Amino acid sequence: MKRKSFIGLAALAAAFPPAPVKPQENTPVRSGRKALILVGGADRGAYEAGAIQALTQVQGVGDGQPLGFDMVCGTSIGALNGFMVATAQYKTLQRLWRSVIPSRDVFRLKKQFNAIQEPESGILDRLAAAFTLSSGLVKNVTGILDPAPVRELLAEYVDPDAPSYLPFYISTTNITRQTHELFVRRATTASGRAKQSVNDALLASSSENMRIADDLLLRNVLFASAAIPVLFDPILIPREHDPQTLDAYVDGGVTQNVPLDVALLCADSLNVILVSPARVDVNEAYSSALDIGLGTFYTMQARILAYQIRLAYALGEAKLPFTAYEIRPARELPGGGADFSNQAVRETMWQLGFQDMVRGWVSFTPPANLPFDSTF
């Protein structure tokens, strides 16, 4: 039975490049190749982790054994999860979501803003903190959250020396150059290198902005992929051919929360783990600036996807055929996206992801006609 999916469909349709690359003679074919795509969603990454755990059991693989895909693509929290999949560290991934992350204050305000949310703070202290924030946002404050907890987590659990079993593509947004940018973490094992070489050949003529996430850049690239604008400071990364110049990067979800373009060029089976239901009547209430920031970000992503699907259908028939499969929750997941410390909520999302993957991937067929005034 096929489920109706509008937001998932929007993301998949948006993967069609406006000018597909025609395979050259002796270029490997993409037929029969599979891509795993992991989206952003802040604390909803717990749902992805549960789905990945079920997938390892279904495929009968353990740590040090790759899942049956030819590549992994990830954005934001999906990039952190994707790194664990590409390096076949499934136990570490589950430990992160079921014990480590709930015990860390990942979304922590910078010290100068703490008084805003502390009821025990005096009114003058809270006013002073609010004034500091409001004036800083137009002068010298580029993010309100302390980056230290995220950097500590990455330093502790992202090991650049870990073998890479699958080619891994990380979605980021370069706001200095105002463009979407992909980083590739190249596979290092024998089987992984074989898949990497096929990808390299298929992407040789691509116009994608892509560079290597080497050992020195890896943690910064993963942080950049998840650095929600205004909440986190932009992450500074040296330019590839001009290392003295630093470009500012933010969350890959700003430009492409479902990183499918590169997958579509390399595979004809796209397996996407999404963290929101197909279509819901949202009636969200916000209790803090952090919640408002996330709500604004998610609204922006939904609208971008809506315009992308309209454009994709306006362009006509796709030149790169593919089959799409997805796993997604049937209803809105608990939590507001920012509450990483609520272990009960994290565990609920993990279990939902696990159960949905056990039920199996769901395929769908795009509707024959899509009116331009549709909402998603």
Side-chain angles (χ1 to χ4, degrees):
M1 180 176 179
K2 295 179 179 179
R3 302 177 191 163
K4 289 184 179 179
S5 171
F6 292 96
I7 293 179
L9 172 60
L12 292 169
F16 300 136
V21 178
K22 214 172 187 181
Q24 302 296 317
E25 192 175 348
N26 299 324
T27 297
V29 294
R30 46 190 283 282
S31 177
R33 306 187 81 239
K34 298 180 180 180
L36 175 66
I37 297 101
L38 303 173
V39 305
D43 64 353
R44 295 175 182 131
Y47 177 89
E48 290 181 340
I52 291 165
Q53 176 65 15
L55 193 56
T56 64
Q57 294 186 15
V58 169
Q59 294 192 7
V61 303
D63 276 12
Q65 298 174 309
L67 287 168
F69 297 97
D70 296 284
M71 62 193 303
V72 181
C73 307
T75 297
S76 197
I77 200 64
L80 176 60
N81 290 343
F83 173 77
M84 296 301 168
V85 171
T87 54
Q89 298 183 83
Y90 313 117
K91 290 180 181 177
T92 298
L93 176 62
Q94 304 314 319
R95 187 165 68 253
L96 275 171
W97 281 105
R98 304 188 81 179
S99 61
V100 176
I101 287 178
S103 69
R104 306 285 181 96
D105 191 6
V106 178
F107 274 18
R108 183 175 72 200
L109 285 173
K110 291 178 178 177
K111 289 181 180 179
Q112 62 265 43
F113 308 133
N114 278 344
I116 295 176
Q117 64 175 10
E118 293 176 357
E120 64 271 18
S121 297
I123 185 63
L124 292 180
D125 288 339
R126 297 179 74 180
L127 285 173
F131 177 78
T132 300
L133 174 58
S134 61
S135 62
L137 286 176
V138 296
K139 292 182 180 179
N140 55 9
V141 173
T142 57
I144 64 173
L145 297 182
D146 185 354
V150 177
R151 291 202 177 278
E152 290 165 4
L153 194 72
L154 293 173
E156 190 172 348
Y157 289 96
V158 173
D159 180 8
D161 293 329
S164 227
Y165 294 86
L166 294 173
F168 174 40
Y169 299 85
I170 306 164
S171 177
T172 68
T173 301
N174 184 328
I175 58 172
T176 300
R177 297 189 168 187
Q178 298 186 350
T179 183
H180 176 254
E181 196 166 310
L182 279 171
F183 286 80
V184 56
R185 182 68 177 173
R186 299 182 65 80
T188 58
T189 64
S191 60
R193 287 197 301 270
K195 294 178 178 182
Q196 185 75 67
S197 65
V198 175
N199 287 2
D200 292 345
L202 288 166
L203 293 170
S205 301
S206 170
S207 60
E208 283 280 357
N209 293 323
M210 192 180 309
R211 58 185 291 194
I212 294 174
D214 61 27
D215 292 355
L216 293 176
L217 293 181
L218 177 61
R219 290 171 181 152
N220 265 354
V221 170
L222 290 175
F223 197 170
S225 184
I228 299 174
V230 182
L231 300 187
F232 285 106
D233 298 315
I235 305 302
L236 301 179
I237 296 177
R239 288 187 181 175
E240 187 172 15
H241 302 298
D242 181 14
Q244 300 305 312
T245 301
L246 301 178
D247 282 355
Y249 288 78
V250 298
D251 198 302
V254 170
T255 46
Q256 194 177 113
N257 193 44
V258 185
L260 294 170
D261 287 4
V262 67
L264 188 62
L265 292 170
C266 296
D268 68 347
S269 178
L270 307 183
N271 297 69
V272 190
I273 300 179
L274 296 161
V275 295
S276 59
R279 186 176 182 178
V280 294
D281 293 323
V282 179
N283 185 23
E284 194 68 60
Y286 302 103
S287 59
S288 69
L290 178 58
D291 288 342
I292 292 171
L294 286 171
T296 301
F297 189 64
Y298 296 148
T299 301
M300 178 192 69
Q301 289 178 337
R303 294 305 299 163
I304 289 173
L305 290 178
Y307 283 111
Q308 284 177 325
I309 190 173
R310 291 167 187 166
L311 175 61
Y313 275 90
L315 290 173
E317 185 179 1
K319 303 298 183 181
L320 292 172
F322 67 91
T323 304
Y325 304 92
E326 66 179 10
I327 292 293
R328 72 185 316 161
R331 60 188 59 86
E332 195 68 35
L333 292 171
D339 191 4
F340 283 86
S341 61
N342 190 324
Q343 188 160 2
V345 169
R346 300 291 75 66
E347 184 63 22
T348 297
M349 289 195 284
W350 190 96
Q351 292 292 344
L352 288 171
F354 185 93
Q355 293 162 14
D356 285 346
M357 183 60 80
V358 167
R359 283 191 283 270
W361 294 102
V362 177
S363 62
F364 64 85
T365 302
N369 297 297
L370 185 73
F372 273 68
D373 60 353
S374 292
T375 55
F376 303 90

